[in-house]
Amino acid sequence: MRIGLIGTGRIGTFHAEALSRHPAVDALLLADAAPERAAGAAARTGATAVPVDALFTGGGETGSGGLPDAVIICSATAAHAGLIARAARAGLPAFCEKPIALDLPGTLAALAEVEAAGTVLQLGFMRRFDAGYGEARAAVREGRLGRLHTVRAVTSDPAPPPAAYLPLSGGLYRDCLVHDFDILRWVTGREVSEVYATGSDRGPAMFRAAGDVDTGAALLTLDDGTLATATATRCNGAGYDVRMELAGELDQIAVGLDDRTPVTSAEPGGPGGPAKPWPGFLERFAPAYEAELDAFLRVVRGELANPCDGREALHALRIAEACELSRRERRPVAMAEIPGG
C-alpha cells in the first residue's frame, strides 16, 4: 500500500515511524506545510517527502504510483477540515487525528463532504484501541458489573502545553476531555443526556489569557440514569494519569491502574508512588496508536468495518460544546440544546 501522511510534528512523526515498520505499507509519502520538516522526518523513517498538493493530485512528486491508497492527517488542527474535504473530493480514504474541526459548523461541513463523496473517514480516538478500555467495554456489555451506576473518568497531563497552543486548542473540554467523552460512550454504549460543568483557571496566567481553564470537571447524566464524572487538569506534577473507574451493583473495575499510575497511597503501609510514572500520552498509549493505524489499513483494504467514523467525533464534540456552555452560563445543559444531534 502507498500511504500519504500530512503533518510531521510529534504525533505525525510517531505515526510515520509506526507506518514505516508496518508490513502492509510499501511506500510512505510524507508532507508538511513546512517542507523541511517533512524532509527531516522522511530521512529518519526511510519515507519520501512530497508537497501536500501532490497527495491529492498524484503528481510526479509522488513517484510513478499516482494517488496514494489513503491519507493520514496529523496537521495542525485548523487544517483538518480542509484536508478531510480534499481527501473526500479525491476519493481517498482518510484517517484524521481528532478533532475534525474546533466548532460544530466546521465539523458538519467536513462530514457532509465525506458523505457526499462516499469515502471513508476514521477518527483518531486511540483509547478505543487500548486493551484496558476494551476489557472494560466487554465487562459492561457482558453484564459482569451488574447494573452500572457510576463512572469516573480522569485525564491529567503532567505539565501545561506551550502558551501558543492554547488559543488554537479549542480549550480543555474540546481538546482534552473530548477523549473521555468519546470513551464514555464507547465503553458504556449509552448517550449523554445532560451535563453540568465547571472549571478553574488558578494555574499559569496563560490559561486566563486564552480564556481557557487549566482544570475542569463535568457531571454527565447518561440516558439510562447512570452518573458519570469526568475531570481533567493540565497541571498534574506526579505524571500522566488517565483512568476510568466503573462501578456496578456486582463489581467495580478500573482502567489505567498499573505500576506506572502516578498515584501514592496515603494509608499507612499503602503502596508508594511508581518508580517510573507515565510521562505522557505517547508512552501510555503507544500500543493503542499502532493498533488504530493497523485497523485503518485494514479498513482501506476492505477487511474491517470502520471502528470510529466521523459521526463518532461529532458526538464527542457536542458533549464538549455542552460542557463549555454549562461552564460559561453556570447551569445544567441538556444535549438537546446542542445542534448537530
Side-chain angles (χ1 to χ4, degrees):
M1 302 176 71
R2 286 164 47 84
I3 303 298
L5 183 147
I6 306 168
T8 51
R10 181 168 55 161
I11 189 62
T13 298
F14 183 90
H15 285 330
E17 291 170 350
L19 290 165
S20 72
R21 300 188 298 267
H22 198 287
V25 178
D26 303 309
L28 180 60
L29 310 173
L30 303 185
D32 197 292
E36 66 280 2
R37 190 161 61 179
R44 292 191 298 273
T45 58
T48 301
V50 301
V52 173
D53 288 347
L55 294 178
F56 301 108
T57 62
E61 301 95 332
T62 63
S64 59
L67 288 175
D69 295 301
V71 295
I72 293 174
I73 299 169
C74 308
S75 63
T77 295
H80 285 187
L83 291 170
I84 288 169
R86 292 190 72 180
R89 293 171 199 152
L92 293 173
F95 173 96
C96 184
E97 282 297 332
K98 66 83 188 167
I100 293 175
L102 289 178
D103 58 20
L104 286 171
T107 299
L108 292 168
L111 289 176
E113 293 270 10
V114 172
E115 290 166 6
T119 53
V120 167
L121 172 62
Q122 181 180 325
L123 262 292
F125 282 112
M126 76 291 185
R127 295 187 194 180
R128 294 182 177 219
F129 299 87
D130 176 76
Y133 284 108
E135 173 60 20
R137 186 177 195 261
V140 171
R141 303 301 178 89
E142 294 167 11
R144 283 185 258 149
L145 306 184
R147 180 185 67 84
L148 186 67
H149 53 73
T150 307
V151 182
R152 295 176 284 268
V154 175
T155 294
S156 299
D157 289 334
Y165 174 75
L166 293 179
L168 309 175
S169 71
L172 187 69
Y173 293 98
R174 298 184 188 93
D175 180 56
C176 184
L177 276 163
V178 72
H179 280 289
D180 297 277
F181 302 149
D182 175 73
I183 205 64
L184 175 64
R185 296 180 58 252
W186 188 77
V187 167
T188 66
R190 311 305 308 190
E191 298 295 343
V192 174
S193 60
E194 184 180 84
V195 310
Y196 182 78
T198 188
S200 168
D201 62 2
R202 294 177 59 214
M206 64 183 184
F207 289 96
R208 292 184 290 280
D212 196 7
V213 293
D214 60 80
T215 302
L219 172 63
L220 307 107
T221 303
L222 306 190
D223 58 10
D224 65 348
T226 300
L227 297 181
T229 58
T231 64
T233 184
R234 303 287 199 182
C235 305
N236 196 58
Y240 183 70
D241 187 11
V242 171
R243 283 177 285 130
M244 174 181 272
E245 299 172 1
L246 299 107
E249 291 183 334
L250 299 180
D251 202 359
Q252 179 172 241
I253 60 175
V255 179
L257 185 60
D258 59 24
D259 61 2
R260 298 190 68 180
T261 305
V263 174
T264 300
S265 174
E267 297 297 329
K276 190 179 180 182
W278 292 111
F281 63 90
L282 286 179
E283 295 82 2
R284 165 67 177 85
F285 288 108
Y289 278 118
E290 295 207 20
E292 72 177 356
L293 285 184
D294 180 72
F296 176 62
L297 297 180
R298 293 175 61 198
V299 170
V300 174
R301 296 198 302 266
E303 300 170 0
L304 184 72
N306 191 342
C308 188
D309 68 22
R311 288 283 162 185
E312 298 298 291
L314 174 62
H315 291 311
L317 176 61
R318 290 183 65 246
I319 298 169
E321 292 285 335
C323 287
E324 281 289 3
L325 180 60
S326 176
R327 179 177 74 89
R328 289 196 308 271
E329 299 188 357
R330 304 182 66 83
R331 67 175 178 88
V333 173
M335 287 306 302
E337 296 181 49
I338 307 302

